[in-house]
Amino acid sequence: MTGLPLTAGTPLSPTLDMLFSRWTPHILWLLDCSGPLRFADLLRRLRPLGTAMLTRRLRELEAAGLISHELYMLHPPRVEYSLTEFGRSVRPVLQAIEVWTETQLRPAQVSSHMAVA
């Protein structure tokens, strides 16, 4: 033991902080699987996520360069969110988690989490 404080980061910390805050992997996964989505579509697919939290996560992901939004000046105006090239580079990480989930978790564990998410 080196005597480092328990809060000391690891080489994984920057990536884990960026990709695995609450709801972030779910948003990235949906945008990867579905392509561009409107705010209401994301909100509906990510129940019980609320409007304020989704707004916060989308802003954080955009600031990190993982997603972009496009404003369509229609009546009413609409915004679509999509992955950037940098965001698409996360695909192998999400796919590895998906494969691990399918191969390592018992079906009952997966079902109980799917019912909540």
Side-chain angles (χ1 to χ4, degrees):
M1 190 116 167
T2 62
L4 292 173
L6 293 176
T7 58
T10 70
L12 298 175
S13 294
T15 301
L16 295 176
D17 291 344
M18 180 188 300
L19 298 180
F20 294 103
S21 57
R22 183 86 170 131
W23 296 106
T24 296
H26 302 84
I27 294 167
L28 295 173
W29 185 83
L30 275 176
L31 291 174
D32 185 46
C33 291
S34 302
L37 290 171
R38 293 167 65 175
F39 184 89
D41 295 328
L42 284 165
L43 193 60
R44 186 180 69 253
R45 294 180 186 199
L46 293 170
R47 283 191 188 125
L49 177 62
T51 303
M53 179 59 78
L54 179 56
T55 299
R56 184 178 326 144
R57 287 293 173 252
L58 291 172
R59 286 180 182 157
E60 290 171 358
L61 291 169
E62 192 168 8
L66 292 165
I67 68 169
S68 63
H69 79 273
E70 185 157 349
L71 175 63
Y72 295 92
M73 293 307 295
L74 304 171
H75 186 70
R78 90 172 193 246
V79 176
E80 285 186 347
Y81 294 90
S82 59
L83 293 177
T84 61
E85 186 175 332
F86 181 49
R88 286 188 294 279
S89 74
V90 176
R91 181 180 295 147
V93 175
L94 298 176
Q95 288 174 331
I97 293 169
E98 186 175 4
V99 167
W100 186 88
T101 300
E102 292 170 354
T103 61
Q104 301 301 314
L105 294 183
R106 296 189 311 267
Q109 290 173 301
V110 174
S111 296
S112 69
H113 284 344
M114 295 287 285
V116 172

